[in-house]
Amino acid sequence: MIWIELLVVLFFIFLGSKMGGIGIGYAGGAGVVVLTLIFGLEAGNVPVDVILIIMAVISAIAAMQKAGGLDYLVHLSEKILRKNPKRVTFIAPTVTYWMTLLAGTGHTAYAALPVITEVAKEGGVRPSKPLSISVVASQIAITASPISAAVVIFASFLEPLGVSYLQLLAIAIPSTILACLVGAIVANRLGKPLADDPEYQRRLSAGLIKLKGNEEHKDSKEAKWSVGIFLVAIILIVTYASLISKKVGLIENPTIGRNEAIMAVMLLAATVIALVCKIKISDVTSMSTFKSGMSAAICVLGVAWLGDTFVSNHIVEIKEAAGGVLNEYSWMLAVVLFFASMLLYSQAATTTALMPAALALGVSPIAAIASFAAVSALFVLPTYPTLLAAVEMDDTGTTKIGKYVFNHSFIIPGTVTIAASVIFGFLFGGLIL
């Protein structure tokens, strides 16, 4: 029966990916119904903490967006990019990486993609180079963000094994930063020079390509205040997590746990932004970040619940079948996470569904942390929103999806970046743990 039940899980994941967007969450819930009521499995754990963290963080980001904070960050990014347009392939992923790292969501990259495209064209750089690695950087940075749901839930899995939240970040941040640099080097070597690209020349001669040029932006003081408030909130969260950690131990009996503190501080930040910046609260729910974030919460609810229902009911069989292989070839976990995340479409969902099982199988904390970046293979299927947005925004036609589905502009830079991050993860993990 285990194979039939596995097919049921895969069917609903496939169905959800075909539905697109929030559909993966819908299909995940439908799969739980089938597994429990038809096959008699016990329902798995609902990833409550993950969902609540996503909701709290997104509520603060949406408030910041309403106050103009995200636009302010994009304008700062534009200034950085325009200072050296020839090196946009290396600067652009750095920008999207840090925006995601600080915000805890990759959806912040949307606002930066048009700027990256324009700067690349002005500098005579093939836009597919910076766009491809920038999208990948915005995805992999989730596994290094101190407030992302994926990092927080993974840290809770590692703490019983003696690995602290700070140690996880100390490995994840440098390994993903260096990996993005490797990915940028590879992306910079892909494709013909822009001037030699026939599709670009065709569109240029047809008058389909236009340069917007540098536009003056005047950011309000409310926009700057909102960013400052949000950054202070992140600093508070990381500081508090450090103080209550067993490694530091300055607060031995905390009155509020780390996960709950993240939720509370993010809601506090949203409150302060609303009051100080005098935003219209009713408009917050109409922000693009709010809509995408709440969709992500539903996706995590459905698909992670489905995965946990299957794994928790068959952990003994899974240990017998895969335990020996993963113990001997620990890097195989990265391969499993890579292919799982391309279907689950969420770093948090993939982490919640598979990491407990991997650790239960005896995978070492070092191997699990090194493989963690592989939950970011959301670029493999060319249907992820930020990927599609990059293709749509590149009017030169260099960023594209091939007719064979997988031969798109993001597959090589993305795969190389994740592979490099896994390698760096093992190196830093061996030094820190």
Side-chain angles (χ1 to χ4, degrees), residues 97 100-105 140-152 165 169 172-173:
Y97 178 94
T100 297
L101 187 87
L102 295 174
T105 171
I140 201 170
I142 288 291
T143 62
S145 171
I147 58 171
S148 76
V151 166
V152 174
Y165 170 73
L169 292 177
I173 292 175

Side-chain angles (χ1 to χ4, degrees), residues 146-147 165-166 169 231-246 248-251 254 256-258 261-262 265:
I147 58 171
Y165 170 73
L166 294 179
L169 292 177
L231 291 178
V232 169
I234 295 174
I235 294 170
L236 283 175
I237 288 169
V238 175
T239 302
Y240 182 75
S242 304
L243 295 177
I244 67 173
S245 69
K246 293 181 180 178
V248 177
L250 291 179
I251 301 177
I256 184 171
R258 186 195 59 242
I262 292 174
V265 172

Side-chain angles (χ1 to χ4, degrees), residues 24-71:
I24 189 75
Y26 292 163
V32 172
V33 172
V34 173
L35 289 180
T36 54
L37 298 185
I38 296 179
F39 289 89
L41 300 186
E42 290 188 16
N45 294 318
V46 177
V48 176
D49 276 4
V50 177
I51 296 167
L52 294 180
I53 288 169
I54 291 174
M55 293 173 67
V57 171
I58 288 299
S59 68
I61 292 173
M64 182 173 66
Q65 183 182 15
K66 175 58 185 174
L70 284 187
D71 289 334

